[in-house]
Amino acid sequence: MGWVTAGDYEVALDDGKVVCRNAAGRRLKSVPAKLGDDPAVVGLRQLAEWLERHERQCLADVERWMVRSLPVPLDVLTRVWPDPAWRSALRDLVVTGADGEVAGFLRDADPERGLGLVDLDGDTVRIAPALVRLPHPVLLEDLEELREFAVELGVEQRAQQLFREVWHRPAGLDAEAVSVEEYAGGTFRELRFLHGRVTQLGYRVRGGYAVCSVREEGRGVEARVWVGDYEGYEETETGPLTWTDTAGQVLKLGRVGPVAWSEGMRMAAALYAGRDIEDEERAA
């Protein structure tokens, strides 16, 4: 933490907040109001806001790599690893080898020595694959065992991987069907409330649908839930869940991959969870 002069005081950033000390070196409980427009204070606050945005963006990018099954070049990881925001987002993620088998939990990325991992025996190992795979949890066969092992190791993943909610496609599913109705019919008093929930959860609204894009086995797939295509105060409800290809053609459920299925169900369930429960209880 480096101190810079601001009038008769000194200011610095500490854990994302501007702090202040007087000429005697005593740290104050708050920044004096008269320093609110001081260039040093304004600059530090702008820097804090940028760092917060940067941290959120790094985390969002790492989760997108995982959700879209995008292999990441080793060179990319070793270059961003020194950045605390990137390192925090990547640390302790499960890494798999080219064969899809779990290699370990990510602890280091070095240009000379490659990746440093804690393997499933609790030992520190090093690997240097050209492409690093951060698998979606639905693809991990021993997910429950990995979760238990992670707790034993004290693993804390900032990016949602091991403890991300997952849905598996039911064995008796009608492969020729084109929609899932499980989370349809969730009532919202106003359409803007449902649209707001879509945005709050990190999804986008396009053409009246909440959408979640996934790339799986080299092809793009989009999960969609109807949420309404106009702005107003009318009551609305969630529609059925469907999946489409890059051309917008609706896919039969038998053609939906495990990651697209899990992420689509996760979105639909999260939207449905925000429905107006009171209206449902009165109707019952």
Side-chain angles (χ1 to χ4, degrees), residues 6 9 11 18 31-45:
Y9 301 85
V11 291
V18 180
V31 177
K34 63 181 180 181
L35 294 182
D37 295 328
D38 187 276
V41 174
V42 172
L44 285 177
R45 285 176 174 160

Side-chain angles (χ1 to χ4, degrees), residues 42-119:
V42 172
L44 285 177
R45 285 176 174 160
Q46 291 175 339
L47 175 60
E49 292 173 358
W50 182 88
L51 289 172
E52 184 180 356
R53 290 195 303 271
H54 175 59
E55 187 173 344
R56 289 199 305 268
Q57 187 60 55
C58 292
L59 185 58
D61 286 345
V62 170
E63 289 191 346
R64 183 163 53 252
W65 294 345
M66 179 190 66
V67 169
R68 296 188 178 181
S69 304
L70 298 175
V72 185
L74 177 62
D75 287 347
V76 171
L77 290 191
T78 58
R79 289 184 182 183
V80 301
W81 189 262
D83 183 331
W86 278 108
R87 189 165 61 248
S88 175
L90 289 163
R91 182 177 170 83
D92 282 331
L93 288 182
V94 171
V95 174
T96 57
D99 57 2
E101 294 296 318
V102 173
F105 297 91
L106 182 60
R107 291 290 173 88
D108 185 38
D110 183 88
E112 306 262 338
R113 299 182 296 165
L115 302 181
L117 309 173
V118 175
D119 68 14

Side-chain angles (χ1 to χ4, degrees), residues 17 19 42 54 97 100 104 118 153 171 219 260 275 281:
K17 297 181 179 180
V19 295
V42 172
H54 175 59
V118 175
L153 286 178
R219 64 170 183 157
R275 68 194 185 282
E281 291 175 346

Side-chain angles (χ1 to χ4, degrees), residues 27-256:
R27 186 161 162 171
L28 307 181
K29 292 183 178 179
S30 62
V31 177
K34 63 181 180 181
L35 294 182
D37 295 328
D38 187 276
V41 174
V42 172
L44 285 177
R45 285 176 174 160
Q46 291 175 339
L47 175 60
E49 292 173 358
W50 182 88
L51 289 172
E52 184 180 356
R53 290 195 303 271
H54 175 59
E55 187 173 344
R56 289 199 305 268
Q57 187 60 55
C58 292
L59 185 58
D61 286 345
V62 170
E63 289 191 346
R64 183 163 53 252
W65 294 345
M66 179 190 66
V67 169
R68 296 188 178 181
S69 304
L70 298 175
V72 185
L74 177 62
D75 287 347
V76 171
L77 290 191
T78 58
R79 289 184 182 183
V80 301
W81 189 262
D83 183 331
W86 278 108
R87 189 165 61 248
S88 175
L90 289 163
R91 182 177 170 83
D92 282 331
L93 288 182
V94 171
V95 174
T96 57
D99 57 2
E101 294 296 318
V102 173
F105 297 91
L106 182 60
R107 291 290 173 88
D108 185 38
D110 183 88
E112 306 262 338
R113 299 182 296 165
L115 302 181
L117 309 173
V118 175
D119 68 14
L120 300 186
D121 293 321
D123 298 325
T124 299
V125 298
R126 290 246 170 216
I127 62 174
L131 293 174
V132 181
R133 291 168 172 80
L134 309 171
H136 189 283
V138 79
L139 301 177
L140 297 171
E141 293 184 3
D142 300 321
L143 181 57
E144 290 303 322
E145 289 80 357
L146 283 170
R147 286 172 172 172
E148 293 175 5
F149 188 48
V151 172
E152 292 177 9
L153 286 178
V155 164
E156 294 183 7
Q157 294 180 333
R158 290 207 59 221
Q160 290 189 6
Q161 188 191 38
L162 283 185
F163 298 98
R164 190 182 190 87
E165 293 176 291
V166 296
W167 277 260
H168 296 276
R169 191 168 52 191
L173 182 77
D174 179 3
E176 295 298 307
V178 295
S179 66
V180 175
E181 305 287 337
E182 185 175 350
Y183 297 111
T187 302
F188 287 75
R189 291 185 180 179
E190 298 179 19
L191 182 141
R192 63 191 179 100
F193 294 161
L194 179 51
H195 278 220
R197 184 164 181 81
V198 174
T199 303
Q200 180 186 33
L201 292 169
Y203 301 110
R204 293 176 295 116
V205 177
R206 188 175 68 245
Y209 291 91
V211 298
C212 173
S213 298
V214 174
R215 190 162 186 82
E216 190 167 11
E217 297 182 352
R219 64 170 183 157
V221 178
E222 188 173 83
R224 296 182 175 185
V225 173
W226 177 257
V227 294
D229 62 351
Y230 58 91
E231 292 296 337
Y233 295 90
E234 295 83 357
E235 183 178 272
T236 190
E237 62 181 36
T238 55
L241 169 64
T242 60
W243 288 264
T244 65
D245 60 18
T246 53
Q249 296 297 313
V250 176
L251 298 175
K252 293 180 179 180
L253 299 188
R255 294 187 58 206
V256 178

